[in-house]
Amino acid sequence: MAAVMAGDDIAGTLSSRRSLASGSRRSWVGSTSFREAWNAPTNVFSQSGRAGNDDEEQLRWAAIERLPTFDRLKKGMIRQILDNGKVVHDEVDVTKLGMREKKLLMENILKVVEEDNENFLKKLRERTDRVGINIPKIEVRYEHLSVQGYIYDGSRALPSLPNAFLTTVESALGLLRLVPSKKRKIQILNGVSGIIKPSRMTLLLGPPGAGKTTFLLALAGKLDKDLEASGKITYCGHELNEFIPQKTCAYISQHDLHQGEMTVRETLDFSGRCLGVGTRYELLAELSRREKEAGIKPDPEIDAFMKATAVAGRETSLVTDCVIKILGLDICADIIVGDMMRRGISGGQKKRVTTGEMLVGPAKVLLMDEISTGLDSSTTFQICKYMKQMVHIMDVTMIISLLQPAPETYELFDEVILLSEGQTVYHGPRENVLEFFEYMGFKCPERKGVADFLQEVTSEKDQEQYWFKKNQPYRFVSVSDFVRGFGSFHIGQQLASDLSVPYDKSRVHPAALVTEKYGISNWELFKACFAREWLLIKRNSFLYIFKTTQITIMSIIALTVFFRTKMHPGTLLGGGKYLGALFFSLMNVMFNGTAELSLTVLRLPVFYKQRDHFFYPAWAFGLPIWLLRIPLSFLESAIWIILTYYTIGFAPAASRFFRQFLAFFCIHQMALSLFRLIASIGRVDVVAQTLGTFSMLMVFVLGGFIVARDDIEPWMIWGYYCSPMMYGQNAIVLNEFLDNRWDIPNQDPNIDAPTIGKVILKSRGFFTDAYWYWISIAALVAFSILFNILFIGALTYLNPFGDSKSIAVDENGDEKNKKRASSPNGAEGIQMATTNSSEVNRVAEPNRGMILPFQPLSLAFNHVNYYVDMPAEMKTQGVQENRLQLLRDVSSAFRPGVLTALVGVTGAGKTTLMDVLAGRKTTGYIEGSINISGYPKKQPTFARVSGYCEQNDIHSPHVTVYESIIYSAWLRLSSNIDKKTQMVC
């Protein structure tokens, strides 16, 4: 985060090429004039702290100052304290900092984050201020912003096959104006207006469904295309179509989407590399020039830091180290992030990675949506504290959406926006929010958290308790009443007055708004994506080793089935066997690429997120995948050919061997490209697998072996020539049957073919001319190129499938529930819970209370230790141990009837302990004892008497909440409970 501040600082000095105004260079001089900086060298030296007596240091710095500008911006000095206590300054090349230099520099500037971060930011700001460089500020305004959506009600919104068919038909008829749309309009945001000012940290509050996420997405220019927006959003007076809002601001989503195979450091490094350095280099050049002219010697650590963070395209950046340290991720920096199938960092740490992924960029506007999910209150407070320092010192514009912040976290904010039902209830200084609600007749109790009060005061069920005008009868004050009241309140009037005055565009700094889509050049983007793809291949090495092993086993099976002693060349019978062997080879080589489909689908969610944030274009993502699969195709084709060619007994000439190898290589490349294309079109696993199966069936049927070319109907012959498998089949059969050993004269006068080889080819409708081999190879290469181009096109223009949302339940269902609730026999729910017990009759006894239908059990664990293998990344950092201990000598007991809270900071091991107790750990090493009511725990039995609610929400996306619960009941309830009772809810 401190690195971001440096980046934001540096981003304040964009040259004229980024200016939205005229082409003339804007002045860098701020409130402190350059002449004043020049005329006060003594004061400058005292502020810089560089008036030391170290002659060697002076000489080193003088040598750096004499270098040309380009070389001077790459040289820095790092202070080091030797064992004897002597302080020395080493000259370093900031473009080639190693781990040792980075660690030393970070310890010099941020040894204790809680104490050093603010001082570090002040030093960064003071360095630019004292030479008169003005830091750009961005003011965000939104006026009469409204967002509407159209949805189906009730069960009509479910993604079922009949609903999908009806939706398609209605959409087609709606375009012809034949049938009115049955979708209902909903108002998500309703005419909200306000100003987000720089240097003021704004808190966005509101109950779930208030429209907070939609509000932030609208400000970031990332609204879904299905939504209709009206109103006006401006950055420094410029509308969103006048610049690139996705690069000017950074939207931090509440959803954590990351590449699970990458470590925390690698994730942030890749993000920082793609987002670029903004205008840090331009600022540094201007700053260095002015300091050189004024004779100012900057602090060596600050100078080295700014120079290191101004280098674009670096694989590792000092910005990453800074953000990791400030977000408290240094303890897990070299551990993989993980996903649903891989154990990685904790949920709270993953949330901080999501935040850090955007903080490493140079954006000056930060829109953060629910960044505290999964974090303890202490960590949330620390992060918000660092954010406040960044906002106030570096003039950043920031909105943070929190659900229920702790009182100490709430006090950190300067402004508060309270949304409810899509309307702005309050927008103004935090100090005046309680005054407004007292103006409306509501008062926050003394021991009540203000944030909790603000969440509840607009709720109909909670509002009455805060009414304090006892001389007036209470009546429910609706959100619309609050909005009208805020309009007459002095803060609301002041806000309306400020909005009535247009923003003065002449005050816009040329570096404020970004007009370039990507942060680095196309070549650097390609290198970044190529390096990541190579890293992911290494991390998924098991998959590729498995595929290689699979094709090796299948080739051994093929050579044993079609062994050369059983294959007789030169005969029609033998030719049929060779045709079968070639088709079997073709089928195996093609199907060995099917893993590419699932692998691509798994990576698409992260791709869509990074594409929409303009990390990189689609071609930069697709091209490295294509290129790095070429060696894999080469290897797998080589394995098949080497093991099967001569053992099966194909044409022995070396030229025939290499031609078949070329054919299989092109076939494998074509298959990989085809499966990638299908994955990018399908986008989800079910659709992609269905499309893949259908496509492969069509390709096989029209490939020329199952159905001969002469047997295909004339109206379908175009499909034969469009099938890529046909060209692969023709290439390998032509290579074999046009060999000299098949040039035996044909004795059958009924077949118009001179040789046995051509007889066999004509019998299946294959081509008989040798040049068709090269035509087939060219066609396979063309198909591979075409499929990859279409793959990149699909990535560019297609978006992930939207989710169906229903806000109204089925009316019939509501009536049934009401009747059930009012029914005198409404004890069905109790019956369902007690049928399995022999004490059903006791439920009716009023003095006994509810009888639990299970035997109470206690759980005790003693001296539990849990270890995992030391991550390879940590070993590369110098760690010698072979195991990493995650639980250390944990002992406790859980008793029936006692509710126990398991608490701890993020990363303390709460989830790990729960996984160990529940028996969910499939890897690692567990020591200690776990007993259930005094008996050693046996996992098969324990799994039937326990329930574990995991932190991750893993559900089938295509079923409703009710259907999920009913399905769970069917699986878990005893078999003697009848279906009618199971359906009771």
Side-chain angles (χ1 to χ4, degrees):
M1 195 174 307
V4 177
M5 301 149 203
D8 294 336
D9 174 9
I10 296 164
T13 65
L14 191 60
S15 58
S16 59
R17 64 184 172 85
R18 287 181 183 262
S19 176
L20 297 175
S22 63
S24 61
R25 184 178 178 90
R26 305 293 296 271
S27 174
W28 292 94
V29 181
S31 58
T32 303
S33 68
F34 174 71
R35 182 176 299 275
E36 292 172 344
W38 175 266
N39 292 333
T42 304
N43 183 44
V44 171
F45 272 104
S46 62
Q47 290 181 1
S48 66
R50 296 285 304 157
N53 298 319
D54 190 353
D55 295 337
E56 183 181 356
E57 178 187 347
Q58 298 288 349
L59 291 173
R60 286 178 180 271
W61 182 255
I64 293 175
E65 288 294 293
R66 286 194 298 269
L67 294 173
T69 301
F70 179 77
D71 294 330
R72 188 171 69 252
L73 296 182
K74 296 196 299 180
K75 298 294 183 180
M77 296 175 62
I78 299 180
R79 176 171 51 89
Q80 181 179 4
I81 302 177
L82 302 179
D83 294 337
N84 57 8
K86 183 180 178 181
V87 179
V88 297
H89 288 80
D90 295 331
E91 181 180 329
V92 295
D93 186 344
V94 297
T95 63
K96 300 177 181 178
L97 290 179
M99 290 299 299
R100 174 183 169 276
E101 289 82 6
K102 287 183 180 181
K103 183 178 180 180
L104 185 62
L105 183 56
M106 290 304 302
E107 287 180 352
N108 290 340
I109 61 178
L110 278 178
K111 187 171 185 179
V112 181
V113 179
E114 292 79 3
E115 301 174 1
D116 298 336
N117 185 62
E118 187 172 8
N119 294 331
F120 168 61
L121 294 177
K122 287 181 178 178
K123 289 179 181 179
L124 288 173
R125 185 59 188 267
E126 287 170 3
R127 186 182 181 191
T128 56
D129 286 346
R130 67 173 173 244
V131 293
I133 290 181
N134 189 24
I135 299 298
K137 302 179 182 179
I138 299 179
E139 180 178 290
V140 182
R141 295 191 178 196
Y142 53 98
E143 302 175 54
H144 310 294
L145 177 62
S146 297
V147 178
Q148 301 88 28
Y150 295 88
I151 65 166
Y152 289 107
D153 284 343
S155 60
R156 183 68 172 82
L158 297 178
S160 61
L161 187 60
N163 286 344
F165 176 76
L166 289 176
T167 301
T168 304
V169 173
E170 288 177 4
S171 300
L173 296 178
L175 293 175
L176 301 175
R177 307 282 184 180
L178 297 178
V179 175
S181 176
K182 295 185 179 181
K183 290 185 177 181
R184 184 161 67 86
K185 179 180 178 180
I186 60 169
Q187 196 75 27
I188 304 174
L189 292 178
N190 188 8
V192 296
S193 301
I195 302 176
I196 312 299
K197 297 181 179 180
S199 306
R200 302 276 291 175
M201 191 161 76
T202 304
L203 173 64
L204 180 61
L205 286 174
K212 302 188 294 297
T213 298
T214 303
F215 173 67
L216 293 177
L217 288 172
L219 295 184
K222 293 173 63 63
L223 273 180
D224 194 289
K225 294 181 180 179
D226 294 335
L227 300 177
E228 294 182 359
S230 60
K232 186 178 181 181
I233 300 174
T234 60
Y235 282 52
C236 296
H238 294 269
E239 296 191 24
L240 299 183
N241 59 355
E242 299 179 45
F243 61 100
I244 306 295
Q246 294 89 344
K247 298 296 292 184
T248 304
C249 73
Y251 171 73
I252 300 173
S253 173
Q254 58 182 316
H255 303 295
D256 304 321
L257 289 175
H258 303 289
Q259 205 68 50
E261 302 96 326
M262 298 175 66
T263 66
V264 172
R265 189 185 304 277
E266 291 163 350
T267 300
L268 300 187
D269 274 332
F270 178 78
S271 175
R273 187 177 182 182
C274 292
L275 292 175
V277 297
T279 55
R280 298 174 190 171
Y281 188 83
E282 288 89 344
L283 168 67
L284 193 58
E286 181 69 15
L287 186 60
S288 178
R289 183 186 66 82
R290 293 193 179 190
E291 287 179 337
K292 184 178 180 180
E293 292 178 353
I296 299 175
K297 298 176 183 178
D299 183 279
E301 278 78 22
I302 298 299
D303 179 71
F305 178 85
M306 294 183 69
K307 287 178 178 177
T309 56
V311 182
R314 297 286 297 165
E315 291 187 18
T316 61
S317 172
L318 206 59
V319 177
T320 298
D321 296 271
C322 211
V323 171
I324 283 175
K325 195 158 189 177
I326 288 176
L327 292 179
L329 294 171
D330 42 358
I331 62 173
C332 61
D334 297 306
I335 298 176
I336 63 170
V337 176
D339 50 30
M340 296 302 179
M341 299 302 293
R342 293 180 180 87
R343 289 291 178 182
I345 60 178
S346 68
Q349 290 167 338
K350 194 173 295 184
K351 175 60 67 176
R352 280 179 276 171
V353 172
T354 303
T355 302
E357 190 177 26
M358 301 307 298
L359 288 182
V360 294
K364 289 286 292 183
V365 179
L366 297 173
L367 309 174
M368 305 185 177
D369 192 4
E370 294 292 349
I371 64 170
S372 63
T373 305
L375 299 182
D376 57 274
S377 58
S378 174
T379 303
T380 303
F381 172 78
Q382 290 294 340
I383 291 176
C384 290
K385 178 184 174 182
Y386 301 144
M387 295 293 180
K388 182 176 182 180
Q389 294 168 355
M390 176 174 67
V391 169
H392 288 178
I393 298 174
M394 308 308 296
D395 293 333
V396 176
T397 304
M398 182 179 294
I399 306 178
I400 301 180
S401 169
L402 300 177
L403 190 59
Q404 284 183 302
E408 61 272 13
T409 302
Y410 172 81
E411 295 294 327
L412 293 173
F413 290 86
D414 305 302
E415 303 271 336
V416 173
I417 300 177
L418 179 60
L419 285 181
S420 185
E421 298 178 8
Q423 301 179 76
T424 303
V425 175
Y426 177 84
H427 183 179
R430 173 181 52 82
E431 295 81 6
N432 300 102
V433 64
L434 294 182
E435 177 188 353
F436 164 69
F437 282 102
E438 290 181 10
Y439 169 77
M440 295 298 298
F442 300 93
K443 187 173 183 178
C444 178
E446 293 184 2
R447 299 181 64 86
K448 181 75 173 181
V450 179
D452 295 339
F453 164 75
L454 296 178
Q455 298 276 37
E456 298 173 0
V457 71
T458 58
S459 172
E460 184 174 2
K461 64 180 181 179
D462 298 320
Q463 187 184 93
E464 185 176 0
Q465 60 182 312
Y466 302 118
W467 182 260
F468 82 104
K469 293 183 179 180
K470 304 302 181 184
N471 56 341
Q472 300 179 15
Y474 165 76
R475 66 173 184 84
F476 173 66
V477 179
S478 65
V479 173
S480 299
D481 295 333
F482 278 118
V483 173
R484 286 190 292 268
F486 180 66
S488 61
F489 188 60
H490 68 91
I491 298 295
Q493 292 176 344
Q494 181 63 43
L495 180 62
S497 176
D498 293 341
L499 285 170
S500 65
V501 180
Y503 188 89
D504 184 7
K505 292 186 179 181
S506 63
R507 297 189 290 115
V508 180
H509 195 285
L513 305 179
V514 182
T515 57
E516 295 182 357
K517 201 169 184 180
Y518 299 105
I520 53 178
S521 65
N522 289 338
W523 173 243
E524 292 295 336
L525 284 171
F526 171 75
K527 288 200 300 183
C529 293
F530 189 91
R532 185 182 68 162
E533 186 62 31
W534 174 241
L535 174 67
L536 293 177
I537 287 178
K538 291 189 291 184
R539 293 284 162 78
N540 287 313
S541 57
F542 174 79
L543 171 64
Y544 299 104
I545 292 173
F546 179 83
K547 287 177 59 184
T548 304
T549 305
Q550 179 186 27
I551 201 168
T552 302
I553 295 174
M554 293 305 298
S555 63
I556 294 173
I557 293 175
L559 69 89
T560 55
V561 172
F562 301 97
F563 198 63
R564 65 182 304 169
T565 58
K566 303 295 183 181
M567 309 285 283
H568 305 291
T571 64
L572 293 177
L573 181 61
K577 294 181 179 180
Y578 275 101
L579 276 177
L582 290 170
F583 178 75
F584 183 75
S585 301
L586 175 67
M587 183 180 64
N588 275 280
V589 171
M590 283 198 66
F591 270 106
N592 204 54
T594 54
E596 193 75 5
L597 189 146
S598 298
L599 199 63
T600 303
V601 169
L602 289 175
R603 295 184 55 186
L604 285 180
V606 177
F607 162 77
Y608 287 129
K609 183 190 85 168
Q610 294 178 343
R611 181 200 66 179
D612 295 341
H613 282 91
F614 290 158
F615 277 46
Y616 47 76
W619 66 263
F621 174 81
L623 194 56
I625 297 177
W626 179 11
L627 296 178
L628 286 173
R629 295 303 185 273
I630 292 177
L632 294 173
S633 294
F634 187 92
L635 175 63
E636 294 183 9
S637 303
I639 289 174
W640 184 271
I641 292 294
I642 291 172
L643 292 178
T644 63
Y645 191 84
Y646 287 108
T647 53
I648 291 178
F650 291 117
S655 60
R656 300 291 180 183
F657 173 87
F658 287 109
R659 283 186 178 188
Q660 191 179 105
F661 171 70
L662 177 62
F664 278 132
F665 171 77
C666 294
I667 291 168
H668 195 265
Q669 271 293 295
M670 178 275 299
L672 293 178
S673 305
L674 175 62
F675 287 122
R676 279 197 297 270
L677 173 61
I678 293 171
S680 64
I681 295 175
R683 286 163 282 177
V684 295
D685 194 58
V686 174
V687 177
Q689 293 287 355
T690 304
L691 286 176
T693 303
F694 176 77
S695 301
M696 291 306 297
L697 285 175
M698 295 300 297
V699 165
F700 268 83
V701 170
L702 299 173
F705 183 83
I706 298 177
V707 179
R709 180 182 57 173
D710 300 333
D711 296 333
I712 299 178
E713 296 294 330
W715 58 272
M716 271 296 292
I717 197 64
W718 61 270
Y720 176 79
Y721 288 98
C722 290
S723 172
M725 185 175 174
M726 179 273 289
Y727 296 96
Q729 185 75 44
N730 272 281
I732 58 178
V733 297
L734 284 171
N735 180 63
E736 172 63 25
F737 291 106
L738 293 184
D739 186 63
N740 294 333
R741 64 178 184 165
W742 296 95
D743 286 345
I744 301 173
N746 177 28
Q747 304 297 329
D748 190 351
N750 297 323
I751 301 178
D752 184 18
T755 63
I756 292 296
K758 292 188 176 181
V759 168
I760 296 171
L761 292 174
K762 279 198 169 185
S763 66
R764 302 301 304 168
F766 295 119
F767 301 106
T768 58
D769 298 316
Y771 63 81
W772 267 100
Y773 170 83
W774 296 108
I775 293 177
S776 299
I777 294 297
L780 290 171
V781 174
F783 271 115
S784 179
I785 296 173
L786 175 64
F787 290 154
N788 278 289
I789 292 174
L790 293 176
F791 168 62
I792 293 173
L795 293 178
T796 304
Y797 297 106
L798 296 182
N799 294 314
F801 289 116
D803 55 341
S804 297
K805 294 181 179 178
S806 174
I807 63 168
V809 296
D810 188 13
E811 294 181 0
N812 295 331
D814 277 351
E815 293 176 1
K816 291 178 182 178
N817 292 337
K818 291 178 181 178
K819 290 179 180 179
R820 183 181 297 149
S822 59
S823 173
N825 298 325
E828 293 177 355
I830 298 178
Q831 180 185 358
M832 180 185 67
T834 58
T835 305
N836 195 32
S837 173
S838 60
E839 305 179 57
V840 175
N841 296 330
R842 299 186 185 181
V843 178
E845 300 179 14
N847 296 329
R848 295 295 301 274
M850 184 174 181
I851 303 299
L852 297 175
F854 52 80
Q855 178 67 35
L857 301 173
S858 62
L859 189 151
F861 49 97
N862 193 29
H863 302 296
V864 172
N865 296 283
Y866 179 67
Y867 307 84
V868 294
D869 292 328
M870 185 67 65
E873 292 74 20
M874 296 185 69
K875 286 189 175 182
T876 60
Q877 303 300 322
V879 179
Q880 301 296 327
E881 291 80 4
N882 294 325
R883 293 184 181 183
L884 177 63
Q885 187 167 5
L886 302 182
L887 293 179
R888 190 182 302 274
D889 200 30
V890 182
S891 301
S892 188
F894 301 147
R895 294 176 294 165
V898 177
L899 183 63
T900 304
L902 180 60
V903 297
V905 298
T906 304
K910 303 183 296 296
T911 303
T912 303
L913 176 61
M914 298 283 277
D915 287 341
V916 169
L917 296 179
R920 296 295 181 90
K921 288 297 185 185
T922 57
T923 59
Y925 312 92
I926 301 174
E927 298 176 355
S929 61
I930 303 175
N931 296 318
I932 309 300
S933 294
Y935 295 93
K937 189 190 82 168
K938 293 183 178 180
Q939 186 59 33
T941 305
F942 183 73
R944 299 300 306 161
V945 298
S946 65
Y948 180 31
C949 299
E950 294 190 75
Q951 182 180 11
N952 297 326
D953 303 319
I954 306 175
H955 304 285
S956 175
H958 303 299
V959 297
T960 65
V961 176
Y962 179 77
E963 291 165 347
S964 296
I965 295 176
I966 289 296
Y967 180 68
S968 178
W970 288 348
L971 294 178
R972 294 173 181 271
L973 294 178
S974 178
S975 58
N976 62 346
I977 298 179
D978 59 84
K979 183 176 180 181
K980 181 179 179 181
T981 305
Q982 289 178 349
M983 296 296 293
V984 173
C985 60

